[in-house]
Amino acid sequence: MFTVVPGMTTSRRFPSSPGGSPSPPEDAAGRNSCLLCLVIYAVLSVVYSLVLQRAVEGGAAIALAMVMAIFGTLFLASAISAVVWPGEVRWLRAAMRGEWPEDGSICAVHGRLDGPRRPAPISEEPAVAWAVEVSTRHVSSVHNRKYKVLKLKGLARTPATLEGPAGSVRLSGLLQMNDVKPRRWKAWEVMSEVLSVRNKSAAEPFSESLAGPGDALDDFATPGDDFELVRFNHKYRIEPGDDVDERLLKAGQDVCAFGVFDRRTGTLTGRRVLGVERIDVMVGGPRRVAARLMRKTWLGLAAMAILFVLSHGLVGAVVFLM
């Protein structure tokens, strides 16, 4: 079933951009979360410092307090997130209740994806949208750790809609597909296809700091609803051992999308996250996606709890030895 839901308890109409279309809001929840973390960190730093000064003298107490406050903040932030649920989970739960959003609110949309098909560049499967990246792993000479070097990235999409009994909602803008499981090859297996994609590369500068198909959106200006854009880092060559990842969104898939709803045009546009407007797309119905998000949240909480216990135990041991 198709539904759209409000992403905020109160909604407002956001100011229009120079082109006349509504400008998407900054991710207020993200800003509030950062502010909350800063407040928690400051409070914990003071509390830990006051406690440790009874056993440790001088700057050592402050240094240990700051370390403990970092892990304490991570744990408390994860616990709060698990209790109140991530924003996406709240929006999906409201979607299953059939609520309708106010104009300009952040919301979740779920339904069956539809739109013109375009052959994907590597698999040649027909898709509504695709993302391709070619990367390799280098070993740092300083830390002796592997890190990812992105050589090529590409995005494409057609005019897509989400269809359901309640109607049709158009998806407008960049589609982030981090949740979509990639199909992977070694470059030597699909070298002709990779070189064909590389030859479509635009002349704009390549941003080397981008590591994933979702982050790769940062390097593209919003091009509309029907485009094919490729960037290639000319500092590198495509080598046979490089990794080639391709992510697809196919017509007929059940998906959940998160963005800003324009009721007048029945359009879902990108919400602004870290300065980039994007529509987050997750494959599956709302119950399945919500369960996946909650599982991720609880796993994160468990990891933070382990780090919390280990860090405080280590600091306790240091204080005892001093």
Side-chain angles (χ1 to χ4, degrees):
M1 181 180 176
F2 160 83
T3 48
V4 285
V5 303
M8 302 178 181
T9 54
T10 58
S11 301
R12 59 188 175 89
R13 183 67 178 175
F14 294 94
S16 297
S17 60
S21 59
S23 299
E26 291 286 348
D27 194 343
R31 293 201 308 272
N32 293 339
S33 297
C34 291
L35 180 60
L36 177 62
C37 286
L38 288 174
V39 172
I40 293 174
Y41 176 77
V43 172
L44 288 179
S45 296
V46 173
V47 172
Y48 284 137
S49 180
L50 292 175
V51 172
L52 289 172
Q53 283 177 357
R54 299 178 180 179
V56 182
E57 296 182 357
I62 297 176
L64 291 173
M66 293 176 67
V67 172
M68 294 177 70
I70 291 174
F71 291 100
T73 301
L74 292 173
F75 172 69
L76 289 177
S78 298
I80 292 171
S81 177
V83 171
V84 303
W85 305 323
E88 288 84 356
V89 175
R90 295 197 304 273
W91 305 334
L92 286 170
R93 288 179 183 271
M96 290 183 280
R97 296 194 296 267
E99 298 180 15
W100 191 261
E102 293 188 23
D103 193 25
S105 64
I106 300 177
C107 66
V109 175
H110 69 88
R112 192 171 297 275
L113 188 64
D114 193 20
R117 285 74 161 171
R118 174 178 293 160
I122 309 300
S123 65
E124 298 185 349
E125 296 182 30
V128 173
W130 57 257
V132 170
E133 70 174 31
V134 178
S135 62
T136 188
R137 297 282 177 178
H138 282 187
V139 178
S140 171
S141 58
V142 178
H143 303 290
N144 197 29
R145 294 180 180 176
K146 289 186 177 181
Y147 64 95
K148 187 175 183 178
V149 175
L150 190 60
K151 296 183 177 182
L152 179 147
K153 59 193 177 187
L155 297 169
R157 60 158 296 180
T158 64
T161 58
L162 283 180
E163 305 291 342
S168 175
V169 167
R170 183 170 65 94
L171 303 180
S172 179
L174 295 167
L175 304 180
Q176 177 164 307
M177 292 179 271
N178 280 351
D179 181 67
V180 179
K181 186 177 181 179
R183 186 175 175 184
R184 174 167 292 183
W185 300 264
K186 287 297 183 181
W188 64 266
E189 299 177 280
V190 289
M191 184 61 77
S192 61
E193 290 84 354
V194 171
L195 295 179
S196 178
V197 176
R198 185 198 63 183
N199 292 338
K200 298 177 182 179
S201 175
E204 285 83 352
F206 186 93
S207 179
E208 296 182 68
S209 63
L210 307 177
D215 295 330
L217 300 180
D218 298 357
D219 204 32
F220 297 111
T222 304
D225 299 338
D226 189 0
F227 62 85
E228 184 177 70
L229 297 175
V230 178
R231 299 286 188 269
F232 175 62
N233 191 339
H234 293 277
K235 289 176 59 178
Y236 300 99
R237 294 188 305 170
I238 304 295
E239 302 288 350
D242 291 344
D243 292 322
V244 180
D245 289 348
E246 180 182 78
R247 287 172 165 84
L248 305 179
L249 288 174
K250 298 181 179 181
Q253 281 184 307
D254 288 324
V255 302
C256 298
F258 305 92
V260 180
F261 185 64
D262 186 335
R263 178 175 284 187
R264 182 179 61 84
T265 60
T267 300
L268 190 74
T269 60
R271 55 177 174 152
R272 186 176 293 273
V273 180
L274 299 177
V276 180
E277 298 169 16
R278 61 187 68 182
I279 299 174
D280 294 294
V281 180
M282 303 184 73
V283 177
R287 287 183 175 82
R288 176 184 167 192
V289 170
R292 198 158 69 239
L293 288 169
M294 283 307 303
R295 183 165 59 250
K296 181 179 178 181
T297 299
W298 286 113
L299 288 174
L301 176 59
M304 290 302 105
I306 293 172
L307 288 175
F308 177 82
V309 171
L310 290 176
S311 63
H312 284 60
L314 180 60
V315 171
V318 170
V319 172
F320 177 78
L321 293 174
M322 295 177 65

